[in-house]
Amino acid sequence: MEGKLSEASRRAVPSPIQQLSHLAQSVGAVNLAEGFPDFPAPAHVKAAAAAAIASDLNQYRHVQGICDVLSETMKREHGLYVDPLTDFAICCGQSEAFAAAVFAIIDPGDEVLLFDPAYETYHTCIELARGIPVYVPLDPPSWTLNGDKFLKSFTSRTKAVILNSPHNPTGKVFSKEELLIISEACQEKDCFAITDEVYEYITYDENKHTSLASLPGMQERTIITSSLSKTYSVTGWRVGWACAAANIAAAIRNIHVKLTDSAPAPFQEAADYAVKRDFILQLLTDYGFHISFRPQGSVFVFAELPRSWQISDIDFVTNLIQNAGVAAVPGRGFFHTDSDDQSYNHRYVRFAFCKSDETLEAAARKMRMLAVPHRF
C-alpha cells in the first residue's frame, strides 16, 4: 500500500538532522543538538500543574485557561491591547499554532516569504497548505536583512511573511530598522505576517525583542505564535498560542479544534542562559571554530567551520558523534537558497546551550579529548 500514500507524505522525508539525531541516540552522545533543556523546570511551575491535576482539570479545555494572563502580558511587554475572549487560540505548542495559522490564511498557489536560514517546520506547513515557500537569504556573518532583496521577493501572489525573532538557528534578534522594513512592506503589499516568538524572553547583552505586531499598522495583520516551552523549560507540555485580530483568531481556533480539539488542560493553569551561551562560545573558539556572530537571542550558536578543516557540516557532526560522543546539528538543513560560494551552505553547525552545567561540561571534556578536527 506504500504507493497509495499521499504526495505530501512522500515529500516529508527524514532530514539529515533527524538521521544524525538517531545516530546520536544510538551511541549515547551528549546532546547539544536539540533545543530543549535537560534541567528541571521551575518548581513553582510544576507545582501549579500538579495542583491543577489534583483539582481535576483533566478534561477537554475549550474555555481557554491562560488567555487573561496572555492579554495582560501583551499589554505590558508590547503595548498591545488584545481581547482575551476573542483574540487567542490556545494550541498544542507553537508548532500547532503556527500550522493552524498557515492553514487559516494560505490558499493553493499563495506565496509565503521566509528568511533563510530557516527552521524547517515552516516549509512543511506551507507546502501542506499547498502554498509556495519563497526564501529571502539573510547576509552573513551577522545575518542582516537586505532590504532590496526582500522587497524584490514580493509578487502579486505573496500572501504572508514569516518572521522568527529571536532566530533559530542563528540567534539573531531582528533590529528595529529591519522590523520597519518588514512592516512597511507588509502594509504596502497588503499581506499577513506570522511571527514565531518562542525565544522572546531569551536575549543577551543589550538586545531586546520587539514584536512586529507592536509597530504602527501591524497588529491587524500580524499573527503572533509562541508557547510556554522555551521560557519555562517545559517543551513536553505542548501549550502554545496564536494571537491575532478576532476574525483571524476565530479561523485559527476552528482549525485547531479540528486538528487536536484542545491543549492540555492542567498545563494551561499552571533560567538565565547568558552564562551558558558564553561558556559554549569559549568552548567552540578554543576548539577552532570561527565565531563571527555572537547570539543575541534564542538558545543556539550557529558556528562556522574554518575552511582549513576541509570538512563538511554533516561529516563534522557525524565524526563528532562517533568519535567524541557529542551531538550537534549540521547547518545545511536550515538553508534553502544557493549562494555565490557553493560550499557556503555546508559550512555551519548549530549547537544548543539550553542544557545543564553538567551536560555542557561533559561535552567540553569530550570535545577537548578529541583529536584536532581536520584530522578526521
Side-chain angles (χ1 to χ4, degrees):
M1 300 297 288
E2 184 176 352
K4 293 185 177 293
L5 292 173
S6 70
E7 181 183 344
S9 71
R10 289 194 293 271
R11 287 199 303 268
V13 297
S15 67
I17 295 174
Q18 292 171 296
Q19 294 168 347
L20 286 169
S21 291
H22 293 319
L23 174 61
Q25 291 174 2
S26 70
V27 302
V30 175
N31 188 354
L32 301 187
E34 296 169 291
F36 60 82
D38 64 350
F39 47 82
H44 71 282
V45 175
K46 292 189 289 186
I53 293 171
S55 299
D56 286 326
L57 294 174
N58 298 310
Q59 310 308 321
Y60 293 136
R61 187 76 185 261
H62 295 133
V63 178
Q64 304 181 115
I66 61 174
C67 296
D68 288 336
V69 174
L70 292 175
S71 177
E72 293 170 3
T73 302
M74 291 290 182
K75 180 180 177 181
R76 182 180 66 251
E77 299 292 338
H78 305 302
L80 296 173
Y81 290 84
V82 295
D83 188 331
L85 298 179
T86 62
D87 295 357
F88 289 97
I90 305 301
C91 300
C92 295
Q94 183 276 337
S95 296
E96 194 221 347
F98 180 88
V102 169
F103 298 157
I105 67 171
I106 299 302
D107 287 317
D110 286 344
E111 294 180 353
V112 182
L113 302 189
L114 307 94
F115 299 112
D116 204 41
Y119 181 50
E120 60 184 351
T121 297
Y122 307 149
H123 186 105
T124 302
C125 291
I126 294 165
E127 285 201 333
L128 287 173
R130 300 195 176 184
I132 301 170
V134 176
Y135 287 93
V136 180
L138 298 172
D139 292 340
S142 297
W143 309 105
T144 51
L145 172 61
N146 183 309
D148 290 337
K149 288 181 186 177
F150 175 57
L151 295 175
K152 289 177 181 177
S153 299
F154 283 86
T155 72
S156 60
R157 297 190 301 275
T158 303
K159 188 71 165 289
V161 175
I162 307 299
L163 174 64
N164 170 214
S165 180
H167 185 252
N168 175 11
T170 67
K172 169 188 175 63
V173 174
F174 279 71
S175 69
K176 190 67 172 291
E177 292 73 22
E178 291 170 324
L179 295 178
L180 284 170
I181 292 172
I182 297 168
S183 69
E184 290 170 0
C186 287
Q187 292 175 76
E188 180 183 342
K189 305 297 184 180
D190 192 26
C191 65
F192 289 101
I194 305 178
T195 65
D196 175 352
E197 303 184 23
V198 296
Y199 300 108
E200 61 180 313
Y201 297 113
I202 306 175
T203 59
Y204 312 107
D205 306 323
E206 300 302 315
N207 299 286
K208 299 298 180 184
H209 169 68
T210 299
S211 178
L212 185 65
S214 68
L215 272 63
M218 286 304 293
Q219 184 173 355
E220 66 187 38
R221 64 180 66 250
T222 301
I223 303 170
I224 299 171
T225 67
S226 194
S227 76
L228 295 180
S229 297
K230 311 300 182 179
T231 304
Y232 292 102
S233 304
V234 288
T235 58
W237 285 15
R238 312 314 300 143
V239 176
W241 53 85
C243 177
N247 58 340
I248 304 170
I252 296 170
R253 278 196 305 275
N254 291 339
I255 290 172
H256 155 68
V257 168
K258 299 297 188 293
L259 289 174
T260 60
D261 196 275
S262 70
F267 298 146
Q268 292 188 48
E269 301 293 323
D272 180 2
Y273 284 120
V275 173
K276 298 179 187 295
R277 177 202 62 171
D278 294 344
F279 178 91
I280 201 164
L281 285 174
Q282 189 60 55
L283 168 63
L284 296 176
T285 299
D286 293 345
Y287 198 71
F289 271 90
H290 178 57
I291 306 296
S292 55
F293 179 72
R294 289 170 59 85
Q296 300 167 334
S298 83
V299 293
F300 303 110
V301 174
F302 207 47
E304 184 179 1
L305 292 163
R307 295 184 182 277
S308 61
W309 287 5
Q310 298 296 308
I311 190 171
S312 74
D313 57 339
I314 286 184
D315 290 339
F316 173 82
V317 170
T318 301
N319 286 316
L320 188 68
I321 292 169
Q322 293 177 329
N323 297 334
V326 175
V329 174
R332 70 179 64 189
F334 300 102
F335 289 104
H336 302 82
T337 54
D338 295 326
S339 64
D340 295 335
D341 182 349
Q342 293 302 309
S343 67
Y344 167 76
N345 292 358
H346 300 168
R347 301 298 307 166
Y348 287 86
V349 177
R350 192 193 76 175
F351 294 85
F353 53 85
C354 51
K355 308 295 178 181
S356 68
D357 292 345
E358 292 76 14
T359 297
L360 294 175
E361 289 165 1
R365 287 195 301 272
K366 288 173 174 285
M367 291 178 68
R368 287 165 182 154
M369 291 173 61
L370 188 62
V372 177
H374 65 262
R375 293 178 185 168
F376 282 149

